[in-house]
Amino acid sequence: MANRAATGGEQVRQSIRFGRIAGIPIGSHWSVLVIMLLLVWLLALTILPASAPGEPAGLYWLLAVLAAVLFMAALLAHELAHALVARHYGVRVRAITLWLLGGVSELDGRAPHARGDLFIALAGPIVSIAAAGGFAVLAAGASLIGLDPLVVAALVWLAIVNVVLGVFNMLPAAPLDGGRVLAAALWGLGLDRAAAQRVAARAGMVFGAILIAAGLAQVIVLAWLGGLWLALIGWFLITAAGAETAGTRLRETVGDLRVADVMTTPAVAGYAHQTLDDFAARVAGGSPHRSYPVLDIGGRLTGVVTLAQLGRVPPARRPTTRLADVQTPRDRTAVLDPQTSLVDAAPLLLAPGHRLAPVLDREQLVGVVCSGDLTRATELASLGVRPSRQQDSPSATTEGRAE
Ligand SMILES: [Zn+2]
């Protein structure tokens, strides 16, 4: 649905990866499983029996599963279209994640010109409409050669949902594809890029509010609970449009700053085999941070520890407990790439409960960055000053700690 420059961290943690297409990692948020089950259930018990009655129950379930899988494949094709066109314009595609109401292509950076943005946004809906056409032709063919009406019904349903997907996404309201088309068009017509994106995001909020009102009206006036879906989608649109506006505003202040520009380097780190007492005395005492990357003997990141975690270990056990025993392990730690833009890193840095992200360049720890660094950069930017990289306090290099 939307092609947004999402920060990998949060999304990756909640999603299941299942391979690559054209070199792009493809994943799925856990909510897709719920939607799939709901879809299969709806198709098997309601939609298919209504359009092709009198078939054996098992056949309904079989066709329902097939149709739901094909629907997901069409959704993936929509996202792949965004991603491949983005790559054509030199925008790196980090991953594609299927999600509750569609998919997200995680793009790094933006197209260099309005035409690029326009084609990236248009590619998805075009593929959805083309898929709809394909399923319609197959349905007509299946009907002509006299295939089971159930097969025809499933193909007709696939054609309809893909038309709906294509058309809904072309509504001129960010973060829908149509909103991006609108922003690209306004940009191409001479408005500056940020202003164009603000207009599209505002349209997204207005449209979201209309959907919520329409949905609630259906629930209240028509006593039809299906209206809740509409309200839910409206709420999602408003939230996403709000996030877009915040992103645009941030982009205007911190501009092209990257993680590397604001991170603290070299990073103060502990070693996995170091005891808590040793770490506290030799490292934590002389540094302003409250959480620290932990490295193995080869210098690879094994996790992150916070002072609070260390404090929870009884004093008597601190001389023998090692950082490796208390750290939050690497696979549950959000890490950043030095080249990631601050705008893209912002959602992760500002996430509740987040303290500090190790910055890794080809698996080498090159620095750490925290929400304070981002806030400092925005405040400096509003003063017209570009932040200089922060040096960490006395002799606190990762090298210096190698025992
Ligand atoms: Zn799309």
Side-chain angles (χ1 to χ4, degrees), residues 194-263:
Q197 283 171 339
R198 267 202 304 272
V199 172
R202 209 161 300 148
M205 291 195 182
V206 171
F207 182 65
I210 292 173
L211 280 187
I212 291 182
L216 292 183
Q218 282 178 334
V219 174
I220 296 163
V221 181
L222 304 176
W224 184 58
L225 280 179
L228 285 178
W229 269 112
L230 224 51
L232 181 74
I233 294 171
W235 174 77
F236 157 75
L237 268 182
I238 289 183
T239 316
E244 290 250 320
T245 311
T248 306
R249 206 171 294 144
L250 192 65
R251 192 166 274 129
E252 276 172 276
T253 39
V254 300
D256 56 350
L257 283 180
R258 294 179 179 273
V259 167
D261 299 320
V262 302
M263 68 186 183

Side-chain angles (χ1 to χ4, degrees), residues 19 41 82 123 125 132-133 155 186 216 218 241 246 286 310 333 351 355 367 395:
W41 181 73
H82 285 308
L155 288 168
L186 291 174
L216 292 183
Q218 282 178 334
L310 307 190
T333 304
R355 291 237 167 71
S395 72

Side-chain angles (χ1 to χ4, degrees), residues 17 58 63 80 89 94 132 138 140-141 145 179 188 241 246 267:
R17 299 271 142 191
L63 265 289
L80 264 177
Y89 285 107
R94 214 181 298 143
L138 285 177
I145 62 171

